[in-house]
mmCIF file with all atom_site columns, all heavy atoms in Angstrom:
data_model
loop_
_atom_site.group_PDB
_atom_site.id
_atom_site.type_symbol
_atom_site.label_atom_id
_atom_site.label_alt_id
_atom_site.label_comp_id
_atom_site.label_asym_id
_atom_site.label_entity_id
_atom_site.label_seq_id
_atom_site.pdbx_PDB_ins_code
_atom_site.Cartn_x
_atom_site.Cartn_y
_atom_site.Cartn_z
_atom_site.occupancy
_atom_site.B_iso_or_equiv
_atom_site.pdbx_formal_charge
_atom_site.auth_seq_id
_atom_site.auth_comp_id
_atom_site.auth_asym_id
_atom_site.auth_atom_id
_atom_site.pdbx_PDB_model_num
ATOM 1   N N   . GLY A 1 1  ? 29.766 30.713 9.522  1.00 67.00 ? 28 GLY A N   1
ATOM 2   C CA  . GLY A 1 1  ? 28.873 29.949 8.664  1.00 67.00 ? 28 GLY A CA  1
ATOM 3   C C   . GLY A 1 1  ? 27.802 29.231 9.440  1.00 67.00 ? 28 GLY A C   1
ATOM 4   O O   . GLY A 1 1  ? 27.571 29.505 10.625 1.00 67.00 ? 28 GLY A O   1
ATOM 5   N N   . GLU A 1 2  ? 27.179 28.264 8.796  1.00 69.00 ? 29 GLU A N   1
ATOM 6   C CA  . GLU A 1 2  ? 26.115 27.489 9.418  1.00 69.00 ? 29 GLU A CA  1
ATOM 7   C C   . GLU A 1 2  ? 26.698 26.623 10.533 1.00 69.00 ? 29 GLU A C   1
ATOM 8   O O   . GLU A 1 2  ? 27.763 26.028 10.394 1.00 69.00 ? 29 GLU A O   1
ATOM 9   C CB  . GLU A 1 2  ? 25.436 26.605 8.354  1.00 69.00 ? 29 GLU A CB  1
ATOM 10  C CG  . GLU A 1 2  ? 24.231 25.852 8.871  1.00 69.00 ? 29 GLU A CG  1
ATOM 11  C CD  . GLU A 1 2  ? 23.572 25.026 7.782  1.00 69.00 ? 29 GLU A CD  1
ATOM 12  O OE1 . GLU A 1 2  ? 24.008 25.127 6.618  1.00 69.00 ? 29 GLU A OE1 1
ATOM 13  O OE2 . GLU A 1 2  ? 22.633 24.291 8.110  1.00 69.00 ? 29 GLU A OE2 1
ATOM 14  N N   . ASP A 1 3  ? 25.983 26.560 11.649 1.00 82.00 ? 30 ASP A N   1
ATOM 15  C CA  . ASP A 1 3  ? 26.387 25.735 12.792 1.00 82.00 ? 30 ASP A CA  1
ATOM 16  C C   . ASP A 1 3  ? 27.736 26.140 13.367 1.00 82.00 ? 30 ASP A C   1
ATOM 17  O O   . ASP A 1 3  ? 28.493 25.298 13.859 1.00 82.00 ? 30 ASP A O   1
ATOM 18  C CB  . ASP A 1 3  ? 26.438 24.250 12.395 1.00 82.00 ? 30 ASP A CB  1
ATOM 19  C CG  . ASP A 1 3  ? 25.081 23.727 11.962 1.00 82.00 ? 30 ASP A CG  1
ATOM 20  O OD1 . ASP A 1 3  ? 24.060 24.214 12.498 1.00 82.00 ? 30 ASP A OD1 1
ATOM 21  O OD2 . ASP A 1 3  ? 25.044 22.849 11.084 1.00 82.00 ? 30 ASP A OD2 1
ATOM 22  N N   . THR A 1 4  ? 28.060 27.418 13.292 1.00 90.00 ? 31 THR A N   1
ATOM 23  C CA  . THR A 1 4  ? 29.296 27.908 13.898 1.00 90.00 ? 31 THR A CA  1
ATOM 24  C C   . THR A 1 4  ? 28.960 29.038 14.871 1.00 90.00 ? 31 THR A C   1
ATOM 25  O O   . THR A 1 4  ? 27.887 29.638 14.816 1.00 90.00 ? 31 THR A O   1
ATOM 26  C CB  . THR A 1 4  ? 30.289 28.423 12.844 1.00 90.00 ? 31 THR A CB  1
ATOM 27  O OG1 . THR A 1 4  ? 29.707 29.527 12.140 1.00 90.00 ? 31 THR A OG1 1
ATOM 28  C CG2 . THR A 1 4  ? 30.673 27.326 11.864 1.00 90.00 ? 31 THR A CG2 1
ATOM 29  N N   . LEU A 1 5  ? 29.893 29.312 15.757 1.00 93.00 ? 32 LEU A N   1
ATOM 30  C CA  . LEU A 1 5  ? 29.738 30.375 16.750 1.00 93.00 ? 32 LEU A CA  1
ATOM 31  C C   . LEU A 1 5  ? 30.815 31.423 16.538 1.00 93.00 ? 32 LEU A C   1
ATOM 32  O O   . LEU A 1 5  ? 31.932 31.104 16.108 1.00 93.00 ? 32 LEU A O   1
ATOM 33  C CB  . LEU A 1 5  ? 29.860 29.793 18.164 1.00 93.00 ? 32 LEU A CB  1
ATOM 34  C CG  . LEU A 1 5  ? 28.869 28.691 18.552 1.00 93.00 ? 32 LEU A CG  1
ATOM 35  C CD1 . LEU A 1 5  ? 29.308 28.021 19.851 1.00 93.00 ? 32 LEU A CD1 1
ATOM 36  C CD2 . LEU A 1 5  ? 27.468 29.281 18.701 1.00 93.00 ? 32 LEU A CD2 1
ATOM 37  N N   . GLN A 1 6  ? 30.493 32.654 16.854 1.00 93.00 ? 33 GLN A N   1
ATOM 38  C CA  . GLN A 1 6  ? 31.458 33.738 16.720 1.00 93.00 ? 33 GLN A CA  1
ATOM 39  C C   . GLN A 1 6  ? 32.233 33.892 18.025 1.00 93.00 ? 33 GLN A C   1
ATOM 40  O O   . GLN A 1 6  ? 31.645 33.986 19.100 1.00 93.00 ? 33 GLN A O   1
ATOM 41  C CB  . GLN A 1 6  ? 30.737 35.034 16.365 1.00 93.00 ? 33 GLN A CB  1
ATOM 42  C CG  . GLN A 1 6  ? 31.475 35.907 15.357 1.00 93.00 ? 33 GLN A CG  1
ATOM 43  C CD  . GLN A 1 6  ? 32.588 36.725 16.028 1.00 93.00 ? 33 GLN A CD  1
ATOM 44  O OE1 . GLN A 1 6  ? 32.552 36.973 17.209 1.00 93.00 ? 33 GLN A OE1 1
ATOM 45  N NE2 . GLN A 1 6  ? 33.575 37.134 15.245 1.00 93.00 ? 33 GLN A NE2 1
ATOM 46  N N   . PHE A 1 7  ? 33.546 33.870 17.927 1.00 95.00 ? 34 PHE A N   1
ATOM 47  C CA  . PHE A 1 7  ? 34.446 33.942 19.082 1.00 95.00 ? 34 PHE A CA  1
ATOM 48  C C   . PHE A 1 7  ? 34.107 35.117 19.990 1.00 95.00 ? 34 PHE A C   1
ATOM 49  O O   . PHE A 1 7  ? 33.925 34.959 21.199 1.00 95.00 ? 34 PHE A O   1
ATOM 50  C CB  . PHE A 1 7  ? 35.883 34.045 18.565 1.00 95.00 ? 34 PHE A CB  1
ATOM 51  C CG  . PHE A 1 7  ? 36.959 34.078 19.617 1.00 95.00 ? 34 PHE A CG  1
ATOM 52  C CD1 . PHE A 1 7  ? 37.514 32.906 20.103 1.00 95.00 ? 34 PHE A CD1 1
ATOM 53  C CD2 . PHE A 1 7  ? 37.451 35.287 20.089 1.00 95.00 ? 34 PHE A CD2 1
ATOM 54  C CE1 . PHE A 1 7  ? 38.529 32.933 21.048 1.00 95.00 ? 34 PHE A CE1 1
ATOM 55  C CE2 . PHE A 1 7  ? 38.454 35.326 21.030 1.00 95.00 ? 34 PHE A CE2 1
ATOM 56  C CZ  . PHE A 1 7  ? 39.001 34.146 21.508 1.00 95.00 ? 34 PHE A CZ  1
ATOM 57  N N   . GLN A 1 8  ? 33.989 36.307 19.405 1.00 93.00 ? 35 GLN A N   1
ATOM 58  C CA  . GLN A 1 8  ? 33.754 37.498 20.206 1.00 93.00 ? 35 GLN A CA  1
ATOM 59  C C   . GLN A 1 8  ? 32.364 37.491 20.835 1.00 93.00 ? 35 GLN A C   1
ATOM 60  O O   . GLN A 1 8  ? 32.174 37.956 21.962 1.00 93.00 ? 35 GLN A O   1
ATOM 61  C CB  . GLN A 1 8  ? 33.943 38.762 19.355 1.00 93.00 ? 35 GLN A CB  1
ATOM 62  C CG  . GLN A 1 8  ? 34.063 40.040 20.177 1.00 93.00 ? 35 GLN A CG  1
ATOM 63  C CD  . GLN A 1 8  ? 35.178 39.959 21.216 1.00 93.00 ? 35 GLN A CD  1
ATOM 64  O OE1 . GLN A 1 8  ? 36.300 39.572 20.925 1.00 93.00 ? 35 GLN A OE1 1
ATOM 65  N NE2 . GLN A 1 8  ? 34.859 40.310 22.460 1.00 93.00 ? 35 GLN A NE2 1
ATOM 66  N N   . HIS A 1 9  ? 31.386 36.920 20.133 1.00 93.00 ? 36 HIS A N   1
ATOM 67  C CA  . HIS A 1 9  ? 30.048 36.824 20.704 1.00 93.00 ? 36 HIS A CA  1
ATOM 68  C C   . HIS A 1 9  ? 30.034 35.876 21.895 1.00 93.00 ? 36 HIS A C   1
ATOM 69  O O   . HIS A 1 9  ? 29.333 36.127 22.891 1.00 93.00 ? 36 HIS A O   1
ATOM 70  C CB  . HIS A 1 9  ? 29.049 36.343 19.649 1.00 93.00 ? 36 HIS A CB  1
ATOM 71  C CG  . HIS A 1 9  ? 28.751 37.357 18.600 1.00 93.00 ? 36 HIS A CG  1
ATOM 72  N ND1 . HIS A 1 9  ? 28.007 37.075 17.473 1.00 93.00 ? 36 HIS A ND1 1
ATOM 73  C CD2 . HIS A 1 9  ? 29.108 38.672 18.492 1.00 93.00 ? 36 HIS A CD2 1
ATOM 74  C CE1 . HIS A 1 9  ? 27.915 38.171 16.715 1.00 93.00 ? 36 HIS A CE1 1
ATOM 75  N NE2 . HIS A 1 9  ? 28.585 39.141 17.315 1.00 93.00 ? 36 HIS A NE2 1
ATOM 76  N N   . LEU A 1 10 ? 30.782 34.786 21.799 1.00 94.00 ? 37 LEU A N   1
ATOM 77  C CA  . LEU A 1 10 ? 30.849 33.833 22.902 1.00 94.00 ? 37 LEU A CA  1
ATOM 78  C C   . LEU A 1 10 ? 31.437 34.502 24.145 1.00 94.00 ? 37 LEU A C   1
ATOM 79  O O   . LEU A 1 10 ? 30.993 34.242 25.268 1.00 94.00 ? 37 LEU A O   1
ATOM 80  C CB  . LEU A 1 10 ? 31.695 32.625 22.503 1.00 94.00 ? 37 LEU A CB  1
ATOM 81  C CG  . LEU A 1 10 ? 31.701 31.434 23.466 1.00 94.00 ? 37 LEU A CG  1
ATOM 82  C CD1 . LEU A 1 10 ? 30.294 30.891 23.665 1.00 94.00 ? 37 LEU A CD1 1
ATOM 83  C CD2 . LEU A 1 10 ? 32.629 30.334 22.940 1.00 94.00 ? 37 LEU A CD2 1
ATOM 84  N N   . ILE A 1 11 ? 32.412 35.390 23.924 1.00 95.00 ? 38 ILE A N   1
ATOM 85  C CA  . ILE A 1 11 ? 33.000 36.128 25.044 1.00 95.00 ? 38 ILE A CA  1
ATOM 86  C C   . ILE A 1 11 ? 31.997 37.146 25.606 1.00 95.00 ? 38 ILE A C   1
ATOM 87  O O   . ILE A 1 11 ? 31.754 37.201 26.808 1.00 95.00 ? 38 ILE A O   1
ATOM 88  C CB  . ILE A 1 11 ? 34.294 36.837 24.597 1.00 95.00 ? 38 ILE A CB  1
ATOM 89  C CG1 . ILE A 1 11 ? 35.401 35.804 24.349 1.00 95.00 ? 38 ILE A CG1 1
ATOM 90  C CG2 . ILE A 1 11 ? 34.749 37.862 25.646 1.00 95.00 ? 38 ILE A CG2 1
ATOM 91  C CD1 . ILE A 1 11 ? 36.700 36.397 23.839 1.00 95.00 ? 38 ILE A CD1 1
ATOM 92  N N   . SER A 1 12 ? 31.410 37.947 24.724 1.00 93.00 ? 39 SER A N   1
ATOM 93  C CA  . SER A 1 12 ? 30.524 39.023 25.189 1.00 93.00 ? 39 SER A CA  1
ATOM 94  C C   . SER A 1 12 ? 29.253 38.498 25.838 1.00 93.00 ? 39 SER A C   1
ATOM 95  O O   . SER A 1 12 ? 28.661 39.167 26.701 1.00 93.00 ? 39 SER A O   1
ATOM 96  C CB  . SER A 1 12 ? 30.167 39.955 24.021 1.00 93.00 ? 39 SER A CB  1
ATOM 97  O OG  . SER A 1 12 ? 29.506 39.246 22.995 1.00 93.00 ? 39 SER A OG  1
ATOM 98  N N   . ASP A 1 13 ? 28.828 37.290 25.461 1.00 92.00 ? 40 ASP A N   1
ATOM 99  C CA  . ASP A 1 13 ? 27.595 36.728 26.011 1.00 92.00 ? 40 ASP A CA  1
ATOM 100 C C   . ASP A 1 13 ? 27.817 35.926 27.287 1.00 92.00 ? 40 ASP A C   1
ATOM 101 O O   . ASP A 1 13 ? 26.868 35.347 27.827 1.00 92.00 ? 40 ASP A O   1
ATOM 102 C CB  . ASP A 1 13 ? 26.913 35.821 24.976 1.00 92.00 ? 40 ASP A CB  1
ATOM 103 C CG  . ASP A 1 13 ? 26.389 36.594 23.781 1.00 92.00 ? 40 ASP A CG  1
ATOM 104 O OD1 . ASP A 1 13 ? 26.246 37.830 23.890 1.00 92.00 ? 40 ASP A OD1 1
ATOM 105 O OD2 . ASP A 1 13 ? 26.134 35.962 22.734 1.00 92.00 ? 40 ASP A OD2 1
ATOM 106 N N   . SER A 1 14 ? 29.064 35.875 27.773 1.00 92.00 ? 41 SER A N   1
ATOM 107 C CA  . SER A 1 14 ? 29.370 35.070 28.955 1.00 92.00 ? 41 SER A CA  1
ATOM 108 C C   . SER A 1 14 ? 29.786 35.963 30.119 1.00 92.00 ? 41 SER A C   1
ATOM 109 O O   . SER A 1 14 ? 30.261 37.083 29.918 1.00 92.00 ? 41 SER A O   1
ATOM 110 C CB  . SER A 1 14 ? 30.495 34.072 28.640 1.00 92.00 ? 41 SER A CB  1
ATOM 111 O OG  . SER A 1 14 ? 30.128 33.229 27.567 1.00 92.00 ? 41 SER A OG  1
ATOM 112 N N   . ASP A 1 15 ? 29.600 35.452 31.345 1.00 87.00 ? 42 ASP A N   1
ATOM 113 C CA  . ASP A 1 15 ? 30.006 36.229 32.515 1.00 87.00 ? 42 ASP A CA  1
ATOM 114 C C   . ASP A 1 15 ? 31.499 36.032 32.756 1.00 87.00 ? 42 ASP A C   1
ATOM 115 O O   . ASP A 1 15 ? 32.138 35.186 32.134 1.00 87.00 ? 42 ASP A O   1
ATOM 116 C CB  . ASP A 1 15 ? 29.190 35.837 33.746 1.00 87.00 ? 42 ASP A CB  1
ATOM 117 C CG  . ASP A 1 15 ? 29.380 34.385 34.140 1.00 87.00 ? 42 ASP A CG  1
ATOM 118 O OD1 . ASP A 1 15 ? 30.521 33.986 34.401 1.00 87.00 ? 42 ASP A OD1 1
ATOM 119 O OD2 . ASP A 1 15 ? 28.389 33.626 34.171 1.00 87.00 ? 42 ASP A OD2 1
ATOM 120 N N   . GLU A 1 16 ? 32.039 36.822 33.688 1.00 80.00 ? 43 GLU A N   1
ATOM 121 C CA  . GLU A 1 16 ? 33.473 36.759 33.942 1.00 80.00 ? 43 GLU A CA  1
ATOM 122 C C   . GLU A 1 16 ? 33.798 36.186 35.311 1.00 80.00 ? 43 GLU A C   1
ATOM 123 O O   . GLU A 1 16 ? 34.836 36.484 35.895 1.00 80.00 ? 43 GLU A O   1
ATOM 124 C CB  . GLU A 1 16 ? 34.116 38.138 33.793 1.00 80.00 ? 43 GLU A CB  1
ATOM 125 C CG  . GLU A 1 16 ? 33.509 39.235 34.651 1.00 80.00 ? 43 GLU A CG  1
ATOM 126 C CD  . GLU A 1 16 ? 34.249 40.554 34.485 1.00 80.00 ? 43 GLU A CD  1
ATOM 127 O OE1 . GLU A 1 16 ? 35.447 40.597 34.788 1.00 80.00 ? 43 GLU A OE1 1
ATOM 128 O OE2 . GLU A 1 16 ? 33.611 41.527 34.027 1.00 80.00 ? 43 GLU A OE2 1
ATOM 129 N N   . ASP A 1 17 ? 32.922 35.334 35.801 1.00 75.00 ? 44 ASP A N   1
ATOM 130 C CA  . ASP A 1 17 ? 33.177 34.662 37.066 1.00 75.00 ? 44 ASP A CA  1
ATOM 131 C C   . ASP A 1 17 ? 34.512 33.927 36.983 1.00 75.00 ? 44 ASP A C   1
ATOM 132 O O   . ASP A 1 17 ? 34.789 33.232 36.006 1.00 75.00 ? 44 ASP A O   1
ATOM 133 C CB  . ASP A 1 17 ? 32.038 33.669 37.344 1.00 75.00 ? 44 ASP A CB  1
ATOM 134 C CG  . ASP A 1 17 ? 32.276 32.856 38.597 1.00 75.00 ? 44 ASP A CG  1
ATOM 135 O OD1 . ASP A 1 17 ? 32.972 33.351 39.491 1.00 75.00 ? 44 ASP A OD1 1
ATOM 136 O OD2 . ASP A 1 17 ? 31.761 31.724 38.661 1.00 75.00 ? 44 ASP A OD2 1
ATOM 137 N N   . ARG A 1 18 ? 35.326 34.051 38.027 1.00 64.00 ? 45 ARG A N   1
ATOM 138 C CA  . ARG A 1 18 ? 36.668 33.475 38.005 1.00 64.00 ? 45 ARG A CA  1
ATOM 139 C C   . ARG A 1 18 ? 36.739 32.067 38.572 1.00 64.00 ? 45 ARG A C   1
ATOM 140 O O   . ARG A 1 18 ? 37.810 31.620 38.953 1.00 64.00 ? 45 ARG A O   1
ATOM 141 C CB  . ARG A 1 18 ? 37.638 34.352 38.809 1.00 64.00 ? 45 ARG A CB  1
ATOM 142 C CG  . ARG A 1 18 ? 37.969 35.680 38.172 1.00 64.00 ? 45 ARG A CG  1
ATOM 143 C CD  . ARG A 1 18 ? 39.137 36.298 38.884 1.00 64.00 ? 45 ARG A CD  1
ATOM 144 N NE  . ARG A 1 18 ? 39.544 37.551 38.286 1.00 64.00 ? 45 ARG A NE  1
ATOM 145 C CZ  . ARG A 1 18 ? 40.713 38.122 38.492 1.00 64.00 ? 45 ARG A CZ  1
ATOM 146 N NH1 . ARG A 1 18 ? 41.597 37.553 39.270 1.00 64.00 ? 45 ARG A NH1 1
ATOM 147 N NH2 . ARG A 1 18 ? 41.020 39.268 37.918 1.00 64.00 ? 45 ARG A NH2 1
ATOM 148 N N   . ARG A 1 19 ? 35.637 31.350 38.631 1.00 58.00 ? 46 ARG A N   1
ATOM 149 C CA  . ARG A 1 19 ? 35.691 30.043 39.277 1.00 58.00 ? 46 ARG A CA  1
ATOM 150 C C   . ARG A 1 19 ? 36.731 29.150 38.615 1.00 58.00 ? 46 ARG A C   1
ATOM 151 O O   . ARG A 1 19 ? 36.937 29.178 37.414 1.00 58.00 ? 46 ARG A O   1
ATOM 152 C CB  . ARG A 1 19 ? 34.323 29.365 39.284 1.00 58.00 ? 46 ARG A CB  1
ATOM 153 C CG  . ARG A 1 19 ? 33.750 29.032 37.917 1.00 58.00 ? 46 ARG A CG  1
ATOM 154 C CD  . ARG A 1 19 ? 32.335 28.483 38.087 1.00 58.00 ? 46 ARG A CD  1
ATOM 155 N NE  . ARG A 1 19 ? 31.724 28.110 36.835 1.00 58.00 ? 46 ARG A NE  1
ATOM 156 C CZ  . ARG A 1 19 ? 31.088 28.935 36.047 1.00 58.00 ? 46 ARG A CZ  1
ATOM 157 N NH1 . ARG A 1 19 ? 31.034 30.211 36.367 1.00 58.00 ? 46 ARG A NH1 1
ATOM 158 N NH2 . ARG A 1 19 ? 30.529 28.513 34.926 1.00 58.00 ? 46 ARG A NH2 1
ATOM 159 N N   . SER A 1 20 ? 37.347 28.336 39.417 1.00 50.00 ? 47 SER A N   1
ATOM 160 C CA  . SER A 1 20 ? 38.433 27.475 38.944 1.00 50.00 ? 47 SER A CA  1
ATOM 161 C C   . SER A 1 20 ? 37.888 26.349 38.095 1.00 50.00 ? 47 SER A C   1
ATOM 162 O O   . SER A 1 20 ? 36.777 25.867 38.301 1.00 50.00 ? 47 SER A O   1
ATOM 163 C CB  . SER A 1 20 ? 39.187 26.882 40.140 1.00 50.00 ? 47 SER A CB  1
ATOM 164 O OG  . SER A 1 20 ? 40.080 25.876 39.722 1.00 50.00 ? 47 SER A OG  1
ATOM 165 N N   . GLY A 1 21 ? 38.697 25.931 37.145 1.00 50.00 ? 48 GLY A N   1
ATOM 166 C CA  . GLY A 1 21 ? 38.331 24.769 36.341 1.00 50.00 ? 48 GLY A CA  1
ATOM 167 C C   . GLY A 1 21 ? 38.772 23.462 36.977 1.00 50.00 ? 48 GLY A C   1
ATOM 168 O O   . GLY A 1 21 ? 38.522 22.386 36.441 1.00 50.00 ? 48 GLY A O   1
ATOM 169 N N   . ASN A 1 22 ? 39.436 23.522 38.142 1.00 48.00 ? 49 ASN A N   1
ATOM 170 C CA  . ASN A 1 22 ? 39.934 22.322 38.814 1.00 48.00 ? 49 ASN A CA  1
ATOM 171 C C   . ASN A 1 22 ? 40.763 21.471 37.868 1.00 48.00 ? 49 ASN A C   1
ATOM 172 O O   . ASN A 1 22 ? 40.628 20.250 37.815 1.00 48.00 ? 49 ASN A O   1
ATOM 173 C CB  . ASN A 1 22 ? 38.768 21.484 39.369 1.00 48.00 ? 49 ASN A CB  1
ATOM 174 C CG  . ASN A 1 22 ? 38.019 22.222 40.453 1.00 48.00 ? 49 ASN A CG  1
ATOM 175 O OD1 . ASN A 1 22 ? 38.616 22.865 41.304 1.00 48.00 ? 49 ASN A OD1 1
ATOM 176 N ND2 . ASN A 1 22 ? 36.688 22.146 40.426 1.00 48.00 ? 49 ASN A ND2 1
ATOM 177 N N   . ALA A 1 23 ? 41.641 22.125 37.102 1.00 51.00 ? 50 ALA A N   1
ATOM 178 C CA  . ALA A 1 23 ? 42.445 21.419 36.107 1.00 51.00 ? 50 ALA A CA  1
ATOM 179 C C   . ALA A 1 23 ? 43.653 20.784 36.774 1.00 51.00 ? 50 ALA A C   1
ATOM 180 O O   . ALA A 1 23 ? 44.782 21.217 36.600 1.00 51.00 ? 50 ALA A O   1
ATOM 181 C CB  . ALA A 1 23 ? 42.890 22.389 35.012 1.00 51.00 ? 50 ALA A CB  1
ATOM 182 N N   . LYS A 1 24 ? 43.380 19.744 37.576 1.00 58.00 ? 51 LYS A N   1
ATOM 183 C CA  . LYS A 1 24 ? 44.454 19.083 38.308 1.00 58.00 ? 51 LYS A CA  1
ATOM 184 C C   . LYS A 1 24 ? 44.491 17.615 37.919 1.00 58.00 ? 51 LYS A C   1
ATOM 185 O O   . LYS A 1 24 ? 43.462 16.940 37.945 1.00 58.00 ? 51 LYS A O   1
ATOM 186 C CB  . LYS A 1 24 ? 44.234 19.238 39.817 1.00 58.00 ? 51 LYS A CB  1
ATOM 187 C CG  . LYS A 1 24 ? 44.097 20.688 40.256 1.00 58.00 ? 51 LYS A CG  1
ATOM 188 C CD  . LYS A 1 24 ? 43.581 20.776 41.676 1.00 58.00 ? 51 LYS A CD  1
ATOM 189 C CE  . LYS A 1 24 ? 43.314 22.232 42.054 1.00 58.00 ? 51 LYS A CE  1
ATOM 190 N NZ  . LYS A 1 24 ? 42.731 22.358 43.400 1.00 58.00 ? 51 LYS A NZ  1
ATOM 191 N N   . TYR A 1 25 ? 45.650 17.113 37.598 1.00 61.00 ? 52 TYR A N   1
ATOM 192 C CA  . TYR A 1 25 ? 45.792 15.744 37.148 1.00 61.00 ? 52 TYR A CA  1
ATOM 193 C C   . TYR A 1 25 ? 46.853 15.045 37.981 1.00 61.00 ? 52 TYR A C   1
ATOM 194 O O   . TYR A 1 25 ? 47.886 15.625 38.294 1.00 61.00 ? 52 TYR A O   1
ATOM 195 C CB  . TYR A 1 25 ? 46.181 15.704 35.669 1.00 61.00 ? 52 TYR A CB  1
ATOM 196 C CG  . TYR A 1 25 ? 45.143 16.295 34.752 1.00 61.00 ? 52 TYR A CG  1
ATOM 197 C CD1 . TYR A 1 25 ? 45.143 17.656 34.442 1.00 61.00 ? 52 TYR A CD1 1
ATOM 198 C CD2 . TYR A 1 25 ? 44.143 15.497 34.218 1.00 61.00 ? 52 TYR A CD2 1
ATOM 199 C CE1 . TYR A 1 25 ? 44.178 18.202 33.615 1.00 61.00 ? 52 TYR A CE1 1
ATOM 200 C CE2 . TYR A 1 25 ? 43.175 16.037 33.382 1.00 61.00 ? 52 TYR A CE2 1
ATOM 201 C CZ  . TYR A 1 25 ? 43.192 17.380 33.080 1.00 61.00 ? 52 TYR A CZ  1
ATOM 202 O OH  . TYR A 1 25 ? 42.241 17.926 32.273 1.00 61.00 ? 52 TYR A OH  1
#
């Protein structure tokens, strides 16, 4: 709908760089 993003488009439009998210707490 309006102001929404498509899941598959978000995947296909992004690169696959494996950089870490530094998810350390």
Side-chain angles (χ1 to χ4, degrees):
E29 185 178 355
D30 298 328
T31 62
L32 301 168
Q33 219 280 337
F34 182 88
Q35 195 55 48
H36 289 172
L37 189 59
I38 289 177
S39 60
D40 293 342
S41 302
D42 62 58
E43 55 177 299
D44 176 27
R45 290 192 178 198
R46 64 185 181 275
S47 170
N49 295 318
K51 304 167 186 176
Y52 297 89

